[in-house]
């Protein structure tokens, strides 16, 4: 069992920024990176809206730089997955990964959320060659093309509107005949001549070849009729699923499963902080995650300082079984 001052669960921009700040505070944080360093950013072709990089840079390059930056100050990044945690007796918190067991004085949870998948044939196969979950990231690659957006919420319309900058046409495919999105976005979408709608329809299959996507098989849920809809790009915005499974009922979540934090990024468990997309279901930007990771780290640093004496006294106690 390893004893650490700070363990950070997740290696996206929020986690790597929290690692940088806690490392510079001499806390030698351990980052449990998960399956993929950088999380969702790692599968983003190009990031053009992160300040300081006027020519843009790729997602993998940005997270590699963030990792190197944090490591330069003493952070340790472990390519491992959290299996379960026990936060029930307070600090130090128990974290079991596939390769190790940790006790951490403070924990910063930055485990993120994943875009919800349709779960239809072709979706996984064509992800990156016609199927995307991020208009802001990939829209540029669909200049002059006819594309579709799947979903009827704020994200679908906001990203659909954004995609009209590049695409020739954007067809929004929604499973009902009424949008969930707010009225302002609806009005803007209805007034945009590049946007059209396919109502009461679900995607049954994404069809393509070695060059990428070329059509969808759609089913009308009212009539049962199936049609082939030609398209070169499928942008799927049907919500996100926060990666909360390892926490069970040990951290307070909102009705959508996101961790509830206060303005200081404290969770309901004293000594456990959360930042990035596991607690932010609205903005989901690299820049916002970086800011939240900074705030969570500063709160953790302050909390550790305020509780230094108490935590040292706990450290001095013999471990169970000694
Ligand atoms: P959302 O509000 O949950 O909408 C998801 C949409 O996808 C819904 O229209 C839903 O259909 C549809 N859907 C869900 N599962 C599906 C499936 N398996 N197959 C086909 N369609 C499916 O998600 P979101 O749009 O990502 O928004 C998340 C939160 O962020 C919301 O609170 C939203 O208001 C907020 N947000 C705000 C802004 C803004 O204010 N500018 C921008 C983006 C997001 P149904 O309608 O039939 O359920």
């Amino acid at each position: 069992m390893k004893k650490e001052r700070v363990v950070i669960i997740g290696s996206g921009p929020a986690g790597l920024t929290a690692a940088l700040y806690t490392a510079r505070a001499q806390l030698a944080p351990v980052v449990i990176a998960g399956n993929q360093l950088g999380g969702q950013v790692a599968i983003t072709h190009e990031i053009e809206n992160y300040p300081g990089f006027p020519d843009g840079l790729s997602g993998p390059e940005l997270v590699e730089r963030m990792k190197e930056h944090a490591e330069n100050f003493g952070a340790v990044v472990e390519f491992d997955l959290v299996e379960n945690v026990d936060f029930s007796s307070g600090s130090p918190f128990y974290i079991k990964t596939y390769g190790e067991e940790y006790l951490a004085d403070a924990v910063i949870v930055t485990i993120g959320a994943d875009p919800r998948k349709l779960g239809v044939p072709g979706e996984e196969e064509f992800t990156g060659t016609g199927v995307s979950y991020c208009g802001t990231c990939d829209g540029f690659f669909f200049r002059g093309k006819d594309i579709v957006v799947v979903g009827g919420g704020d994200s679908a319309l906001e990203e659909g509107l954004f995609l009209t900058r590049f695409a020739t046409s954007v067809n929004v495919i929604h499973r009902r005949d009424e949008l969930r999105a707010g009225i302002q976005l609806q009005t803007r979408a209805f007034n945009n001549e590049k946007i059209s709608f396919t109502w009461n329809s679900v995607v049954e299959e994404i069809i393509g070849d070695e060059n990428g996507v070329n059509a969808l098989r759609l089913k009308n849920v009212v009539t049962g009729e199936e049609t082939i809809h030609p398209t070169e790009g499928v942008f799927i915005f049907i919500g996100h699923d926060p990666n909360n499974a390892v926490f069970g009922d040990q951290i307070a979540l909102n009705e959508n499963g996101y961790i509830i934090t206060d303005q200081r990024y404290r969770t309901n468990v004293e000594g456990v902080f959360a930042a990035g997309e596991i607690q932010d279901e609205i903005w989901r930007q690299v820049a916002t995650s970086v800011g939240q990771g900074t705030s969570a780290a500063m709160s953790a640093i302050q909390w550790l300082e305020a509780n230094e004496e108490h935590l040292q006294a706990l450290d001095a106690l013999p471990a169970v079984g000694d």
Side-chain angles (χ1 to χ4, degrees):
M1 176 109 59
K2 286 189 173 171
K3 174 72 203 332
E4 306 291 348
R5 301 302 315 279
V6 179
V7 167
I8 297 165
I9 303 176
S11 62
L16 292 174
T17 308
L20 170 64
Y21 272 74
T22 49
R24 291 194 77 246
Q26 308 291 313
L27 293 168
V30 173
V31 179
I32 315 290
N35 269 334
Q36 188 170 44
L37 181 77
Q40 283 189 67
V41 179
I43 54 165
T44 304
H45 293 300
E46 186 150 17
I47 298 169
E48 290 181 331
N49 54 5
Y50 189 63
F53 295 91
D55 300 322
L57 79 174
S58 74
E61 187 185 349
L62 180 61
V63 290
E64 265 309 323
R65 284 180 184 228
M66 286 181 170
K67 172 175 175 278
E68 187 186 337
H69 197 168
E71 284 175 336
N72 285 348
F73 287 99
V76 175
V77 177
E78 298 287 358
F79 289 91
D80 200 350
L81 280 168
V82 173
E83 230 178 334
N84 57 66
V85 301
D86 185 354
F87 294 167
S88 59
S89 5
S91 176
F93 303 101
Y94 174 78
I95 298 160
K96 165 97 179 69
T97 67
Y98 282 92
E100 191 57 79
E101 286 177 291
Y102 297 92
L103 277 179
D105 287 340
V107 176
I108 304 176
V109 181
T110 59
I111 198 167
D114 288 335
R116 199 169 291 151
K117 310 282 188 300
L118 288 169
V120 297
E123 182 175 18
E124 207 178 315
E125 185 185 345
F126 294 112
T127 294
T129 57
V131 173
S132 170
Y133 302 88
C134 179
T136 319
C137 322
D138 295 330
F140 195 69
F141 303 103
F142 292 84
R143 273 168 301 168
K145 298 192 170 168
D146 295 310
I147 63 170
V148 306
V149 159
V150 184
D154 283 330
S155 297
L157 292 199
E158 193 170 78
E159 299 265 350
L161 283 159
F162 178 77
L163 287 166
T164 60
R165 296 179 190 203
F166 312 102
T168 308
S169 71
V170 177
N171 186 253
V172 179
I173 297 169
H174 184 37
R175 62 182 177 184
R176 294 188 290 137
D177 61 358
E178 201 182 322
L179 295 166
R180 179 179 294 279
I183 193 70
Q184 280 183 331
L185 275 169
Q186 289 198 31
T187 307
R188 283 176 55 206
F190 290 138
N191 288 336
N192 189 308
E193 58 186 24
K194 281 192 176 179
I195 296 187
S196 59
F197 290 84
T198 302
W199 302 106
N200 296 317
S201 295
V202 291
V203 177
E204 295 274 282
E205 185 183 356
I206 298 170
I207 302 163
D209 55 26
E210 66 280 4
N211 298 319
V213 170
N214 49 46
L216 301 179
R217 184 161 57 84
L218 299 183
K219 183 179 172 188
N220 184 305
V221 292
V222 177
T223 63
E225 187 195 358
E226 288 199 348
T227 49
I228 299 294
H229 183 108
T231 186
E232 288 180 88
V234 188
F235 284 80
I236 300 167
F237 304 110
I238 58 170
H240 279 72
D241 293 320
N243 296 318
N244 58 24
V246 295
F247 305 108
D249 56 4
Q250 300 187 66
I251 299 189
L253 307 174
N254 73 12
E255 69 278 12
N256 295 326
Y258 290 80
I259 294 179
I260 297 169
T261 57
D262 65 8
Q263 281 188 325
R264 292 177 176 262
Y265 295 87
R266 295 178 290 205
T267 71
N268 65 317
V269 181
E270 200 187 320
V272 177
F273 304 81
E277 295 184 21
I278 186 65
Q279 59 82 53
D280 171 16
E281 60 183 302
I282 298 176
W283 302 114
R284 297 197 285 262
Q285 298 296 302
V286 176
T288 51
S289 288
V290 162
Q292 292 160 4
T294 305
S295 305
M298 292 177 81
S299 287
I301 294 163
Q302 277 183 359
W303 183 82
L304 286 165
E305 276 170 5
N307 291 278
E308 192 68 46
E309 252 176 60
H310 174 64
L311 294 169
Q312 274 179 7
L314 287 179
D315 268 349
L317 290 174
V320 178
D322 280 2

